[in-house]
Amino acid sequence: MTALIMKDLYAIKGQMKSAIYLLLFFMVLAFFFDMGPIVVMFAVLFGSLQVMTSFAFDEMSKWDKYGLTLPVSRRKIIASKYVLSLLLTIGSAVSLTPIILLFNLFFRSFSTDELFSMLCVISAAALLMLSVSIPIFLKFGTQKGRFFLFAVIFIPVFFTSFISENVARFSISLPSVQTLKLLAYGAPFFMLLPLMLSYLLSIKIYANKEF
Amino acid sequence: MPAISIRNLQKSFPAFTLKNVSFDVQKGTIMGFIGENGAGKSTTIKCILNVLKKDSGLIKIFGYDHTKEEMQIKEEIGVVYDDLPFPETLTGSEIEKFMSRLYKNWDEPLFYQLLKQFKINPAKKVKELSRGMKMKLSIAIALAHHPKLLILDEPTSGLDPIVRDEILDLFLHFMEEEEHTILFSSHITSDLEKIADSITFIHEGEIVFSESKDVLLYEYAIWKGSQQELKDLPEDAIVRMRQGIYGVEALVRKNRIHSIFPTTRPTIEELMVFLTKGDI
């Protein structure tokens, strides 16, 4: 399985380089315009999106029809994509930690606490997005899968912003800040369950897939 | 024991069916697998490799069921498709790094020696390589874990004659080991004429023949003449015939006609065309 993860990491290496340049650009912007949360969001989501890129590379090169001739089981091929998802999401989140601390050193408009809880929520969102999109990509391919992905991102974003703008109208009582913070920190761990379910579903889809 | 043994293989798609495909590839031989585009060559190969799931039938490789002992079998097989199926951002040395972790018998010095022999820069990305170079890299990858069986699906299609010749030499070099076997699918029959020991011909999902190349080329002959002269040929000798601009051509069974009839030895291509398009 390590071999397959290495293959994907080598394949997306170029994309990762561009992502780092973009991140640096956003950091400069953030420095002048005080946009810490945007940097966090961009970095984590971009990291996770590389898993999708790896699917696109596989599809373009018709890798699977070759991968299945190697001494590696279908289950391991799928497992490698999920381990890659975790590695990229956790990797992006961890590599952002010193950046967040640095931000806090220069300006204190966002507290470290606030940025870290945001990092956790975005990592959780990224894991949820991957949990939904990996089986979709396996079933429908990356071309059709993109439309589903759009829906997967757009619908929750729309729904959340609708709720948050109408909190007063619907007389929703929000939990305390302390509870929200706890929920935020726990969010990535809660997402391990959908990720596990998604993995089992993907194994089922891939077991019957032909190339 | 054959290296590959297939019995009554069936695989259905909405527009195409493999019907009761059966043949053996004997150890230590090269089998040419021929047929027009869409005849079922790639489908058969993908079923052998379990990339496509067969509907029914029995496939054994080195005497083992191809699904039950899949991992063990795949350690001993090298596969070459008609393209290099790796993400194009990878370099040769990156491919080597992860492939070496997949095979127990991976031979790093052999891989780099082959790359040197093929004049392939391992630092070059797949997308920077010419088609010929890509195929050579694909062959180097397939050979670097010392497989006993090579399964080649149109490995020479789209290559110029010089590169094709170099590649055929590589396969002949691979066959110097007594235990080695090749199943070579191609519609470039001249390649198979050069290196194959036996030929299996598939047409519209069915095996037309699976026979030693020499037997095939000695069993059949091509007779050319006029419509009038055709009447002199014994009817049971004619397998297929076709009307040309200058007369009639017939594929005949050599042992059924007298030697006074002038015939020529057929090429595999002629056999394929006659058996596919000729009239009965």
Side-chain angles (χ1 to χ4, degrees), chain B residues 149-189:
Chain B
L149 169 64
L150 278 183
I151 296 185
L152 317 168
D153 191 6
E154 307 270 4
T156 51
S157 73
L159 298 177
D160 64 64
I162 294 155
V163 176
R164 262 171 41 213
D165 200 56
E166 276 179 74
I167 286 177
L168 294 183
D169 278 346
L170 282 171
F171 296 146
L172 286 174
H173 182 66
F174 171 79
M175 289 306 291
E176 282 168 11
E177 290 278 332
E178 213 173 286
E179 286 275 284
H180 286 180
T181 309
I182 296 181
L183 173 63
F184 188 147
S185 127
S186 180
H187 57 258
I188 306 171
T189 49

mmCIF file of all heavy atoms in Angstrom, chain B residues 149-189:
data_model
loop_
_atom_site.group_PDB
_atom_site.id
_atom_site.type_symbol
_atom_site.label_atom_id
_atom_site.label_comp_id
_atom_site.label_asym_id
_atom_site.label_seq_id
_atom_site.Cartn_x
_atom_site.Cartn_y
_atom_site.Cartn_z
ATOM 1 N N LEU B 149 6.096 -14.984 -17.153
ATOM 2 C CA LEU B 149 5.110 -14.857 -18.227
ATOM 3 C C LEU B 149 4.923 -13.381 -18.570
ATOM 4 O O LEU B 149 4.716 -12.553 -17.680
ATOM 5 C CB LEU B 149 3.773 -15.452 -17.744
ATOM 6 C CG LEU B 149 2.525 -15.218 -18.576
ATOM 7 C CD1 LEU B 149 2.633 -15.872 -19.958
ATOM 8 C CD2 LEU B 149 1.278 -15.764 -17.859
ATOM 9 N N LEU B 150 5.026 -13.081 -19.858
ATOM 10 C CA LEU B 150 4.737 -11.714 -20.302
ATOM 11 C C LEU B 150 3.402 -11.723 -21.031
ATOM 12 O O LEU B 150 3.183 -12.554 -21.918
ATOM 13 C CB LEU B 150 5.812 -11.214 -21.271
ATOM 14 C CG LEU B 150 7.114 -10.659 -20.720
ATOM 15 C CD1 LEU B 150 7.980 -10.152 -21.868
ATOM 16 C CD2 LEU B 150 6.884 -9.534 -19.718
ATOM 17 N N ILE B 151 2.511 -10.815 -20.635
ATOM 18 C CA ILE B 151 1.241 -10.678 -21.346
ATOM 19 C C ILE B 151 1.269 -9.306 -22.014
ATOM 20 O O ILE B 151 1.362 -8.268 -21.343
ATOM 21 C CB ILE B 151 0.043 -10.831 -20.383
ATOM 22 C CG1 ILE B 151 0.049 -12.267 -19.819
ATOM 23 C CG2 ILE B 151 -1.271 -10.529 -21.089
ATOM 24 C CD1 ILE B 151 -1.120 -12.630 -18.946
ATOM 25 N N LEU B 152 1.256 -9.325 -23.331
ATOM 26 C CA LEU B 152 1.454 -8.098 -24.102
ATOM 27 C C LEU B 152 0.204 -7.805 -24.922
ATOM 28 O O LEU B 152 -0.209 -8.625 -25.739
ATOM 29 C CB LEU B 152 2.653 -8.257 -25.041
ATOM 30 C CG LEU B 152 3.895 -8.927 -24.452
ATOM 31 C CD1 LEU B 152 4.889 -9.285 -25.546
ATOM 32 C CD2 LEU B 152 4.552 -7.991 -23.441
ATOM 33 N N ASP B 153 -0.398 -6.651 -24.674
ATOM 34 C CA ASP B 153 -1.610 -6.292 -25.399
ATOM 35 C C ASP B 153 -1.277 -5.161 -26.371
ATOM 36 O O ASP B 153 -1.183 -4.014 -25.973
ATOM 37 C CB ASP B 153 -2.687 -5.867 -24.395
ATOM 38 C CG ASP B 153 -4.054 -5.734 -25.051
ATOM 39 O OD1 ASP B 153 -4.185 -6.079 -26.240
ATOM 40 O OD2 ASP B 153 -4.999 -5.287 -24.379
ATOM 41 N N GLU B 154 -1.077 -5.507 -27.611
ATOM 42 C CA GLU B 154 -0.737 -4.558 -28.681
ATOM 43 C C GLU B 154 0.483 -3.696 -28.326
ATOM 44 O O GLU B 154 0.420 -2.468 -28.434
ATOM 45 C CB GLU B 154 -1.931 -3.623 -28.970
ATOM 46 C CG GLU B 154 -3.240 -4.320 -29.257
ATOM 47 C CD GLU B 154 -3.442 -4.630 -30.726
ATOM 48 O OE1 GLU B 154 -2.520 -4.369 -31.525
ATOM 49 O OE2 GLU B 154 -4.495 -5.179 -31.061
ATOM 50 N N PRO B 155 1.587 -4.304 -27.904
ATOM 51 C CA PRO B 155 2.717 -3.477 -27.451
ATOM 52 C C PRO B 155 3.432 -2.742 -28.584
ATOM 53 O O PRO B 155 4.175 -1.790 -28.319
ATOM 54 C CB PRO B 155 3.658 -4.503 -26.816
ATOM 55 C CG PRO B 155 3.387 -5.764 -27.550
ATOM 56 C CD PRO B 155 1.926 -5.730 -27.883
ATOM 57 N N THR B 156 3.230 -3.179 -29.821
ATOM 58 C CA THR B 156 3.984 -2.543 -30.916
ATOM 59 C C THR B 156 3.112 -1.634 -31.784
ATOM 60 O O THR B 156 3.594 -1.070 -32.759
ATOM 61 C CB THR B 156 4.624 -3.620 -31.823
ATOM 62 O OG1 THR B 156 3.614 -4.566 -32.195
ATOM 63 C CG2 THR B 156 5.762 -4.333 -31.138
ATOM 64 N N SER B 157 1.825 -1.483 -31.409
ATOM 65 C CA SER B 157 0.954 -0.675 -32.278
ATOM 66 C C SER B 157 1.365 0.798 -32.224
ATOM 67 O O SER B 157 1.705 1.328 -31.163
ATOM 68 C CB SER B 157 -0.510 -0.847 -31.881
ATOM 69 O OG SER B 157 -0.774 -0.183 -30.693
ATOM 70 N N GLY B 158 1.371 1.422 -33.376
ATOM 71 C CA GLY B 158 1.719 2.836 -33.459
ATOM 72 C C GLY B 158 3.205 3.120 -33.388
ATOM 73 O O GLY B 158 3.605 4.276 -33.258
ATOM 74 N N LEU B 159 4.036 2.073 -33.476
ATOM 75 C CA LEU B 159 5.492 2.298 -33.431
ATOM 76 C C LEU B 159 6.098 2.129 -34.815
ATOM 77 O O LEU B 159 5.593 1.353 -35.631
ATOM 78 C CB LEU B 159 6.143 1.291 -32.475
ATOM 79 C CG LEU B 159 5.718 1.365 -31.021
ATOM 80 C CD1 LEU B 159 6.387 0.248 -30.221
ATOM 81 C CD2 LEU B 159 6.084 2.713 -30.415
ATOM 82 N N ASP B 160 7.209 2.841 -35.049
ATOM 83 C CA ASP B 160 7.841 2.707 -36.368
ATOM 84 C C ASP B 160 8.564 1.363 -36.449
ATOM 85 O O ASP B 160 8.855 0.734 -35.426
ATOM 86 C CB ASP B 160 8.775 3.894 -36.644
ATOM 87 C CG ASP B 160 9.941 3.946 -35.690
ATOM 88 O OD1 ASP B 160 10.763 3.014 -35.723
ATOM 89 O OD2 ASP B 160 10.022 4.895 -34.899
ATOM 90 N N PRO B 161 8.853 0.883 -37.686
ATOM 91 C CA PRO B 161 9.426 -0.460 -37.857
ATOM 92 C C PRO B 161 10.730 -0.679 -37.104
ATOM 93 O O PRO B 161 10.994 -1.784 -36.634
ATOM 94 C CB PRO B 161 9.659 -0.568 -39.365
ATOM 95 C CG PRO B 161 8.791 0.454 -39.962
ATOM 96 C CD PRO B 161 8.618 1.536 -38.965
ATOM 97 N N ILE B 162 11.539 0.378 -36.954
ATOM 98 C CA ILE B 162 12.842 0.197 -36.293
ATOM 99 C C ILE B 162 12.637 -0.068 -34.794
ATOM 100 O O ILE B 162 13.208 -1.004 -34.238
ATOM 101 C CB ILE B 162 13.762 1.414 -36.540
ATOM 102 C CG1 ILE B 162 14.088 1.447 -38.038
ATOM 103 C CG2 ILE B 162 15.033 1.356 -35.720
ATOM 104 C CD1 ILE B 162 14.454 2.770 -38.586
ATOM 105 N N VAL B 163 11.797 0.743 -34.167
ATOM 106 C CA VAL B 163 11.527 0.539 -32.729
ATOM 107 C C VAL B 163 10.847 -0.815 -32.531
ATOM 108 O O VAL B 163 11.154 -1.546 -31.583
ATOM 109 C CB VAL B 163 10.644 1.690 -32.173
ATOM 110 C CG1 VAL B 163 10.285 1.432 -30.721
ATOM 111 C CG2 VAL B 163 11.359 3.012 -32.299
ATOM 112 N N ARG B 164 9.921 -1.155 -33.455
ATOM 113 C CA ARG B 164 9.222 -2.433 -33.344
ATOM 114 C C ARG B 164 10.208 -3.589 -33.375
ATOM 115 O O ARG B 164 10.122 -4.537 -32.605
ATOM 116 C CB ARG B 164 8.218 -2.582 -34.489
ATOM 117 C CG ARG B 164 6.828 -2.196 -34.044
ATOM 118 C CD ARG B 164 5.825 -2.101 -35.145
ATOM 119 N NE ARG B 164 5.908 -3.130 -36.153
ATOM 120 C CZ ARG B 164 5.617 -2.948 -37.418
ATOM 121 N NH1 ARG B 164 5.225 -1.753 -37.837
ATOM 122 N NH2 ARG B 164 5.694 -3.916 -38.286
ATOM 123 N N ASP B 165 11.168 -3.486 -34.274
ATOM 124 C CA ASP B 165 12.171 -4.526 -34.416
ATOM 125 C C ASP B 165 13.003 -4.661 -33.137
ATOM 126 O O ASP B 165 13.271 -5.768 -32.670
ATOM 127 C CB ASP B 165 13.069 -4.188 -35.614
ATOM 128 C CG ASP B 165 13.779 -5.420 -36.105
ATOM 129 O OD1 ASP B 165 13.074 -6.399 -36.432
ATOM 130 O OD2 ASP B 165 15.029 -5.425 -36.110
ATOM 131 N N GLU B 166 13.392 -3.499 -32.571
ATOM 132 C CA GLU B 166 14.174 -3.504 -31.315
ATOM 133 C C GLU B 166 13.386 -4.196 -30.215
ATOM 134 O O GLU B 166 13.915 -4.999 -29.440
ATOM 135 C CB GLU B 166 14.418 -2.060 -30.857
ATOM 136 C CG GLU B 166 15.594 -1.369 -31.494
ATOM 137 C CD GLU B 166 15.690 0.056 -30.964
ATOM 138 O OE1 GLU B 166 16.089 0.236 -29.812
ATOM 139 O OE2 GLU B 166 15.319 0.979 -31.708
ATOM 140 N N ILE B 167 12.073 -3.870 -30.152
ATOM 141 C CA ILE B 167 11.213 -4.430 -29.104
ATOM 142 C C ILE B 167 11.049 -5.938 -29.294
ATOM 143 O O ILE B 167 11.104 -6.709 -28.334
ATOM 144 C CB ILE B 167 9.861 -3.675 -29.084
ATOM 145 C CG1 ILE B 167 10.089 -2.288 -28.467
ATOM 146 C CG2 ILE B 167 8.793 -4.439 -28.305
ATOM 147 C CD1 ILE B 167 8.888 -1.393 -28.428
ATOM 148 N N LEU B 168 10.898 -6.366 -30.541
ATOM 149 C CA LEU B 168 10.765 -7.806 -30.799
ATOM 150 C C LEU B 168 12.034 -8.539 -30.366
ATOM 151 O O LEU B 168 11.974 -9.635 -29.811
ATOM 152 C CB LEU B 168 10.485 -8.064 -32.277
ATOM 153 C CG LEU B 168 9.131 -7.554 -32.805
ATOM 154 C CD1 LEU B 168 8.955 -7.937 -34.267
ATOM 155 C CD2 LEU B 168 7.966 -8.078 -31.987
ATOM 156 N N ASP B 169 13.187 -7.912 -30.592
ATOM 157 C CA ASP B 169 14.456 -8.514 -30.155
ATOM 158 C C ASP B 169 14.487 -8.711 -28.644
ATOM 159 O O ASP B 169 14.999 -9.711 -28.144
ATOM 160 C CB ASP B 169 15.647 -7.635 -30.576
ATOM 161 C CG ASP B 169 16.021 -7.888 -32.022
ATOM 162 O OD1 ASP B 169 15.550 -8.904 -32.588
ATOM 163 O OD2 ASP B 169 16.750 -7.059 -32.602
ATOM 164 N N LEU B 170 13.936 -7.708 -27.937
ATOM 165 C CA LEU B 170 13.884 -7.804 -26.470
ATOM 166 C C LEU B 170 13.067 -9.004 -26.038
ATOM 167 O O LEU B 170 13.438 -9.731 -25.116
ATOM 168 C CB LEU B 170 13.194 -6.563 -25.896
ATOM 169 C CG LEU B 170 14.005 -5.308 -25.804
ATOM 170 C CD1 LEU B 170 13.117 -4.132 -25.436
ATOM 171 C CD2 LEU B 170 15.039 -5.507 -24.703
ATOM 172 N N PHE B 171 11.939 -9.201 -26.721
ATOM 173 C CA PHE B 171 11.084 -10.329 -26.370
ATOM 174 C C PHE B 171 11.795 -11.649 -26.678
ATOM 175 O O PHE B 171 11.699 -12.606 -25.905
ATOM 176 C CB PHE B 171 9.737 -10.247 -27.096
ATOM 177 C CG PHE B 171 8.918 -9.046 -26.692
ATOM 178 C CD1 PHE B 171 8.090 -8.402 -27.604
ATOM 179 C CD2 PHE B 171 8.971 -8.547 -25.397
ATOM 180 C CE1 PHE B 171 7.343 -7.300 -27.235
ATOM 181 C CE2 PHE B 171 8.232 -7.439 -25.010
ATOM 182 C CZ PHE B 171 7.415 -6.812 -25.935
ATOM 183 N N LEU B 172 12.516 -11.682 -27.779
ATOM 184 C CA LEU B 172 13.255 -12.915 -28.114
ATOM 185 C C LEU B 172 14.337 -13.175 -27.073
ATOM 186 O O LEU B 172 14.585 -14.311 -26.685
ATOM 187 C CB LEU B 172 13.868 -12.802 -29.519
ATOM 188 C CG LEU B 172 12.851 -12.933 -30.664
ATOM 189 C CD1 LEU B 172 13.515 -12.662 -32.010
ATOM 190 C CD2 LEU B 172 12.199 -14.321 -30.686
ATOM 191 N N HIS B 173 14.971 -12.095 -26.597
ATOM 192 C CA HIS B 173 15.986 -12.218 -25.562
ATOM 193 C C HIS B 173 15.360 -12.779 -24.282
ATOM 194 O O HIS B 173 15.933 -13.656 -23.618
ATOM 195 C CB HIS B 173 16.620 -10.848 -25.312
ATOM 196 C CG HIS B 173 17.710 -10.885 -24.290
ATOM 197 N ND1 HIS B 173 18.893 -11.554 -24.501
ATOM 198 C CD2 HIS B 173 17.778 -10.347 -23.042
ATOM 199 C CE1 HIS B 173 19.646 -11.421 -23.423
ATOM 200 N NE2 HIS B 173 18.991 -10.702 -22.524
ATOM 201 N N PHE B 174 14.153 -12.298 -23.962
ATOM 202 C CA PHE B 174 13.418 -12.788 -22.773
ATOM 203 C C PHE B 174 13.155 -14.284 -22.893
ATOM 204 O O PHE B 174 13.199 -15.023 -21.907
ATOM 205 C CB PHE B 174 12.094 -12.010 -22.668
ATOM 206 C CG PHE B 174 11.129 -12.543 -21.637
ATOM 207 C CD1 PHE B 174 11.298 -12.264 -20.287
ATOM 208 C CD2 PHE B 174 10.031 -13.312 -22.019
ATOM 209 C CE1 PHE B 174 10.397 -12.749 -19.336
ATOM 210 C CE2 PHE B 174 9.126 -13.802 -21.074
ATOM 211 C CZ PHE B 174 9.321 -13.517 -19.732
ATOM 212 N N MET B 175 12.926 -14.750 -24.127
ATOM 213 C CA MET B 175 12.577 -16.157 -24.352
ATOM 214 C C MET B 175 13.782 -17.094 -24.275
ATOM 215 O O MET B 175 13.624 -18.309 -24.401
ATOM 216 C CB MET B 175 11.880 -16.323 -25.704
ATOM 217 C CG MET B 175 10.489 -15.745 -25.759
ATOM 218 S SD MET B 175 9.394 -16.354 -24.469
ATOM 219 C CE MET B 175 9.181 -18.041 -24.990
ATOM 220 N N GLU B 176 14.981 -16.523 -24.070
ATOM 221 C CA GLU B 176 16.157 -17.388 -23.974
ATOM 222 C C GLU B 176 16.073 -18.305 -22.748
ATOM 223 O O GLU B 176 16.673 -19.371 -22.715
ATOM 224 C CB GLU B 176 17.441 -16.549 -23.953
ATOM 225 C CG GLU B 176 17.789 -16.064 -25.364
ATOM 226 C CD GLU B 176 18.871 -15.006 -25.378
ATOM 227 O OE1 GLU B 176 19.512 -14.776 -24.330
ATOM 228 O OE2 GLU B 176 19.059 -14.384 -26.452
ATOM 229 N N GLU B 177 15.345 -17.880 -21.739
ATOM 230 C CA GLU B 177 15.108 -18.748 -20.571
ATOM 231 C C GLU B 177 14.026 -19.760 -20.960
ATOM 232 O O GLU B 177 12.967 -19.369 -21.449
ATOM 233 C CB GLU B 177 14.606 -17.905 -19.383
ATOM 234 C CG GLU B 177 15.631 -17.007 -18.777
ATOM 235 C CD GLU B 177 16.529 -17.731 -17.788
ATOM 236 O OE1 GLU B 177 16.063 -18.715 -17.196
ATOM 237 O OE2 GLU B 177 17.682 -17.300 -17.651
ATOM 238 N N GLU B 178 14.316 -21.018 -20.689
ATOM 239 C CA GLU B 178 13.429 -22.102 -21.130
ATOM 240 C C GLU B 178 12.005 -22.010 -20.582
ATOM 241 O O GLU B 178 11.038 -22.364 -21.240
ATOM 242 C CB GLU B 178 14.051 -23.425 -20.679
ATOM 243 C CG GLU B 178 13.789 -24.576 -21.630
ATOM 244 C CD GLU B 178 14.573 -25.788 -21.188
ATOM 245 O OE1 GLU B 178 15.808 -25.799 -21.375
ATOM 246 O OE2 GLU B 178 13.931 -26.677 -20.634
ATOM 247 N N GLU B 179 11.898 -21.508 -19.348
ATOM 248 C CA GLU B 179 10.604 -21.487 -18.648
ATOM 249 C C GLU B 179 9.724 -20.300 -19.062
ATOM 250 O O GLU B 179 8.562 -20.235 -18.690
ATOM 251 C CB GLU B 179 10.854 -21.381 -17.135
ATOM 252 C CG GLU B 179 11.348 -22.625 -16.496
ATOM 253 C CD GLU B 179 10.192 -23.549 -16.111
ATOM 254 O OE1 GLU B 179 9.525 -23.248 -15.117
ATOM 255 O OE2 GLU B 179 9.967 -24.545 -16.823
ATOM 256 N N HIS B 180 10.310 -19.357 -19.796
ATOM 257 C CA HIS B 180 9.577 -18.120 -20.084
ATOM 258 C C HIS B 180 8.539 -18.294 -21.190
ATOM 259 O O HIS B 180 8.748 -19.050 -22.136
ATOM 260 C CB HIS B 180 10.562 -17.009 -20.465
ATOM 261 C CG HIS B 180 11.309 -16.471 -19.285
ATOM 262 N ND1 HIS B 180 12.246 -15.483 -19.384
ATOM 263 C CD2 HIS B 180 11.238 -16.804 -17.970
ATOM 264 C CE1 HIS B 180 12.728 -15.224 -18.181
ATOM 265 N NE2 HIS B 180 12.134 -16.014 -17.318
ATOM 266 N N THR B 181 7.447 -17.542 -21.038
ATOM 267 C CA THR B 181 6.327 -17.652 -21.987
ATOM 268 C C THR B 181 5.814 -16.250 -22.314
ATOM 269 O O THR B 181 5.858 -15.360 -21.464
ATOM 270 C CB THR B 181 5.183 -18.470 -21.324
ATOM 271 O OG1 THR B 181 5.724 -19.670 -20.818
ATOM 272 C CG2 THR B 181 4.056 -18.764 -22.305
ATOM 273 N N ILE B 182 5.315 -16.093 -23.542
ATOM 274 C CA ILE B 182 4.719 -14.797 -23.921
ATOM 275 C C ILE B 182 3.366 -15.023 -24.595
ATOM 276 O O ILE B 182 3.230 -15.859 -25.480
ATOM 277 C CB ILE B 182 5.639 -14.003 -24.896
ATOM 278 C CG1 ILE B 182 6.969 -13.630 -24.233
ATOM 279 C CG2 ILE B 182 4.934 -12.751 -25.401
ATOM 280 C CD1 ILE B 182 7.920 -12.822 -25.123
ATOM 281 N N LEU B 183 2.383 -14.251 -24.160
ATOM 282 C CA LEU B 183 1.116 -14.147 -24.905
ATOM 283 C C LEU B 183 1.112 -12.751 -25.496
ATOM 284 O O LEU B 183 1.163 -11.758 -24.769
ATOM 285 C CB LEU B 183 -0.090 -14.342 -23.975
ATOM 286 C CG LEU B 183 -1.467 -14.096 -24.621
ATOM 287 C CD1 LEU B 183 -1.733 -15.080 -25.749
ATOM 288 C CD2 LEU B 183 -2.589 -14.204 -23.591
ATOM 289 N N PHE B 184 1.091 -12.666 -26.815
ATOM 290 C CA PHE B 184 1.348 -11.422 -27.529
ATOM 291 C C PHE B 184 0.163 -11.096 -28.422
ATOM 292 O O PHE B 184 -0.015 -11.720 -29.463
ATOM 293 C CB PHE B 184 2.629 -11.635 -28.360
ATOM 294 C CG PHE B 184 3.202 -10.422 -29.032
ATOM 295 C CD1 PHE B 184 4.584 -10.310 -29.186
ATOM 296 C CD2 PHE B 184 2.424 -9.419 -29.547
ATOM 297 C CE1 PHE B 184 5.163 -9.222 -29.826
ATOM 298 C CE2 PHE B 184 2.971 -8.324 -30.183
ATOM 299 C CZ PHE B 184 4.338 -8.232 -30.322
ATOM 300 N N SER B 185 -0.666 -10.162 -27.986
ATOM 301 C CA SER B 185 -1.804 -9.787 -28.834
ATOM 302 C C SER B 185 -1.394 -8.666 -29.776
ATOM 303 O O SER B 185 -0.711 -7.715 -29.374
ATOM 304 C CB SER B 185 -2.958 -9.352 -27.932
ATOM 305 O OG SER B 185 -3.421 -8.087 -28.302
ATOM 306 N N SER B 186 -1.775 -8.807 -31.032
ATOM 307 C CA SER B 186 -1.409 -7.778 -32.000
ATOM 308 C C SER B 186 -2.258 -7.914 -33.242
ATOM 309 O O SER B 186 -2.740 -9.000 -33.550
ATOM 310 C CB SER B 186 0.067 -7.917 -32.385
ATOM 311 O OG SER B 186 0.419 -6.931 -33.311
ATOM 312 N N HIS B 187 -2.458 -6.795 -33.954
ATOM 313 C CA HIS B 187 -3.028 -6.971 -35.284
ATOM 314 C C HIS B 187 -1.960 -6.692 -36.341
ATOM 315 O O HIS B 187 -2.243 -6.707 -37.526
ATOM 316 C CB HIS B 187 -4.314 -6.150 -35.486
ATOM 317 C CG HIS B 187 -4.139 -4.696 -35.266
ATOM 318 N ND1 HIS B 187 -4.552 -4.076 -34.106
ATOM 319 C CD2 HIS B 187 -3.582 -3.751 -36.023
ATOM 320 C CE1 HIS B 187 -4.257 -2.797 -34.189
ATOM 321 N NE2 HIS B 187 -3.663 -2.586 -35.337
ATOM 322 N N ILE B 188 -0.715 -6.456 -35.848
ATOM 323 C CA ILE B 188 0.403 -6.342 -36.798
ATOM 324 C C ILE B 188 0.947 -7.765 -36.959
ATOM 325 O O ILE B 188 1.818 -8.218 -36.218
ATOM 326 C CB ILE B 188 1.480 -5.367 -36.290
ATOM 327 C CG1 ILE B 188 0.836 -4.023 -35.961
ATOM 328 C CG2 ILE B 188 2.593 -5.198 -37.321
ATOM 329 C CD1 ILE B 188 1.740 -3.055 -35.261
ATOM 330 N N THR B 189 0.399 -8.467 -37.931
ATOM 331 C CA THR B 189 0.696 -9.900 -38.042
ATOM 332 C C THR B 189 2.153 -10.163 -38.426
ATOM 333 O O THR B 189 2.685 -11.218 -38.102
ATOM 334 C CB THR B 189 -0.240 -10.554 -39.054
ATOM 335 O OG1 THR B 189 -0.236 -9.762 -40.232
ATOM 336 C CG2 THR B 189 -1.653 -10.651 -38.517
#
